[in-house]
Amino acid sequence: MLKIYGFARVNKFARGNTRDLRVLWAAEEMGLPYEIVGMDHPNHDLDSPAYRALNPFGQIPAIDDDGVVVTESGAILLYLARKSGKLLPRDLAGEAQVLRWSVAALNSIEVPVLTLWFVNISGGKGTKPSEALRGWADMRLNQLDGWLAGRQFIATDDFTVADILMSHVLGTASTDADLLKPHANILAYLARCMERPAWKRTLDAYCERVEAA
Ligand SMILES: N[C@@H](CCC(=O)N[C@@H](CS)C(=O)NCC(=O)O)C(=O)O
């Protein structure tokens, strides 16, 4: 049975934003059976030697699929897509587009947006580095908005794992809502992804399951 390591306790600010949700959403879309292994972060479950053997970075998410251990949300989603034959085209050219946009989500978009958030919450708001990061994030979001004009989904005509990664990167609290406001195509895209019944089911089950931290 596929085991998905996720958070057992999440503080109210992080609820909905943790990266285990990317994996849970993908499994729900794909109809894959799984069991959740709930990890208590404040209680240092992620620091245990057993968990570090699975993920040397001591982070969530991780999966153990009958002995196949995968970490990194992007790698996990691509593995599950190959395993299930869902949310990933079978032809090489289509698969390349999904790889391309999965990496873009986690690199070209998540890096500037998350770094800006981190600098700002670490006391850097209003400083030159924060302004420079804001410029970098704005530029990438502007370019992304242009790409999304006339497109339903990011990589292909159909919803793929790249959309789970991109919409979760864009939709989390670390992406300041202010940053997205000028980008009508991104906002419409985000709404399209977040309206999916599988996302709603995933988020509802997560909110019912996780305890306060
Ligand atoms: N690049 C990793 C990042 C994973 C990550 O940042 N996980 C966070 C939760 S969303 C975590 O485990 N934080 C606890 C920690 O770093 O101690 C991925 O995409 O899976």
Side-chain angles (χ1 to χ4, degrees), residues 13-92:
F13 303 106
R15 241 169 240 203
N17 302 326
T18 58
R19 290 170 179 78
D20 46 353
L21 273 162
R22 299 174 183 174
V23 180
L24 296 166
W25 182 6
E28 188 69 29
E29 293 273 1
M30 294 167 186
L32 287 174
Y34 60 87
E35 71 185 59
I36 299 174
V37 184
M39 305 297 284
D40 187 338
H41 187 29
N43 214 19
H44 303 288
D45 283 3
L46 302 184
D47 302 327
S48 72
Y51 191 70
R52 291 287 163 131
L54 294 180
N55 186 351
F57 298 125
Q59 291 194 307
I60 291 292
I63 62 164
D64 182 342
D65 186 22
D66 290 327
V68 180
V69 173
V70 190
T71 60
E72 296 297 325
S73 56
I76 296 170
L77 264 58
L78 290 161
Y79 169 81
L80 295 179
R82 291 286 299 276
K83 175 186 163 92
S84 66
K86 294 188 178 151
L87 305 194
L88 182 71
R90 282 161 197 266
D91 64 297
L92 188 61

